[in-house]
């Protein structure tokens, strides 16, 4: 078993940006964690093949939360219909479209009071969320569930969103944080605190994953942090 970081480069407002989905390999089967913005499918496929893996090995996609992490989920499910989609019970309601996303509600509210120089990004972000095609979830998980041949423990890390999950791998001493943490200046900090739906819960969740004392943290924003 191993985890591979997938650095995805893209441009926004003429600047280079990166996100870092993760690829988990267990018994020659692939599990992708998070799918980036809409139309990122080819970028992620390219990174997977660059690491020597075939897309027909893709068995699961785990979504840490509804946000900029599910933009290409529908594209993946359309192209690879056998893929098993995994998310928390709370986030499943938003991803499947049963409920309006709490992130979209928040973004629409924040736009009303945004400074003019930030409104372009605010409108763009709202449109990204509205462009997302809903996908039904195949497997709903809860805090403490052991998945992927019992090699991965689901860790509830609410705060950024209410149903956010992170993934802990005891054998590898690794955590995939999603947006429960961001790697900044060789430290784990709260990701985008002004976008957190509950900052107290986000702080508690950050302490929770730090207390796992992992050697490596795979952050969706900022990339991998190695502490060993």
């Amino acid at each position: 078993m191993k985890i591979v970081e997938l650095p995805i480069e893209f441009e926004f407002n003429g600047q280079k940006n990166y996100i870092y989905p993760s690829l988990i390999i267990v018994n020659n089967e692939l599990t992708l964690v998070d799918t980036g913005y809409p139309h990122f499918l080819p970028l992620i496929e390219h990174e997977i093949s660059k690491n020597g893996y075939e897309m027909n090995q893709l068995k699961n996609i785990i979504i840490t939360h509804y946000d900029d992490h599910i933009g290409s989920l529908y594209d993946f499910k359309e192209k690879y219909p056998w893929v098993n989609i995994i998310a928390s019970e709370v986030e499943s309601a938003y991803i499947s479209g049963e409920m309006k996303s709490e992130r979209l509600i928040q973004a629409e509210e924040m736009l009303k009071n945004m400074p003019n120089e930030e409104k372009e990004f605010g409108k763009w972000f709202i449109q990204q969320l509205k462009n997302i095609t809903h996908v039904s979830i195949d497997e709903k998980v809860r805090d403490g569930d052991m998945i992927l041949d019992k090699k991965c423990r689901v860790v509830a890390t609410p705060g950024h969103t209410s149903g956010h999950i992170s993934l802990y791998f005891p054998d590898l001493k690794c955590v995939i944080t999603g947006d429960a943490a961001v790697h900044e200046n060789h430290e784990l900090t709260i990701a985008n605190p002004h976008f957190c739906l509950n900052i107290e819960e986000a702080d508690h969740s950050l302490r929770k994953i730090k207390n796992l004392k992992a050697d490596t943290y795979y952050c969706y924003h900022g990339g991998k942090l190695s502490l060993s």
Side-chain angles (χ1 to χ4, degrees), residues 203-221:
D203 183 59
H204 176 76
S205 292
L206 179 63
R207 281 186 275 116
K208 186 176 181 180
I209 58 174
K210 281 183 174 180
N211 287 339
L212 292 170
K213 306 290 186 193
D215 291 338
T216 309
Y217 290 87
Y218 292 87
C219 302
Y220 190 79
H221 298 288

Side-chain angles (χ1 to χ4, degrees), residues 98-174:
E98 294 166 46
M99 294 176 64
K100 184 176 180 179
S101 155
E102 55 187 356
R103 178 64 76 219
L104 178 55
I105 293 168
Q106 179 201 44
E108 289 172 340
E109 284 299 311
M110 289 179 76
L111 184 65
K112 296 174 187 175
N113 301 310
M114 267 187 183
N116 285 333
E117 63 270 18
E118 292 179 18
K119 281 198 170 173
E120 184 188 353
F121 175 78
K123 288 176 182 175
W124 174 82
F125 186 69
I126 287 169
Q127 199 54 52
Q128 292 298 307
L129 293 176
K130 286 183 173 178
N131 287 346
I132 290 168
T133 305
H134 297 299
V135 179
S136 60
I137 301 304
D138 301 305
E139 186 179 342
K140 298 174 185 178
V141 294
R142 298 180 181 185
D143 185 44
D145 284 356
M146 298 298 295
I147 59 174
L148 307 182
D149 289 345
K150 300 194 182 300
K151 296 184 184 300
C152 171
R153 190 175 97 212
V154 175
V155 181
T157 45
H160 187 76
T161 65
S162 57
H164 191 291
I165 56 172
S166 301
L167 307 169
Y168 175 49
F169 300 82
D171 292 349
L172 294 177
K173 294 186 177 177
C174 292

Side-chain angles (χ1 to χ4, degrees), residues 187-198:
E187 286 186 357
L188 294 177
T189 61
I190 294 173
N192 293 318
H194 55 295
F195 283 116
C196 283
L197 290 165
N198 186 315

Side-chain angles (χ1 to χ4, degrees), residues 42-58:
L43 299 176
I44 295 172
E45 285 177 324
H46 175 71
E47 281 301 314
I48 289 173
S49 63
K50 206 165 90 172
N51 280 280
Y53 299 103
E54 303 285 338
M55 293 308 296
N56 61 14
Q57 296 173 267
L58 185 64

Side-chain angles (χ1 to χ4, degrees), residues 31-50:
T31 296
L32 175 66
V33 184
D34 294 327
T35 65
Y37 290 106
H39 314 303
F40 274 30
L41 170 63
L43 299 176
I44 295 172
E45 285 177 324
H46 175 71
E47 281 301 314
I48 289 173
S49 63
K50 206 165 90 172

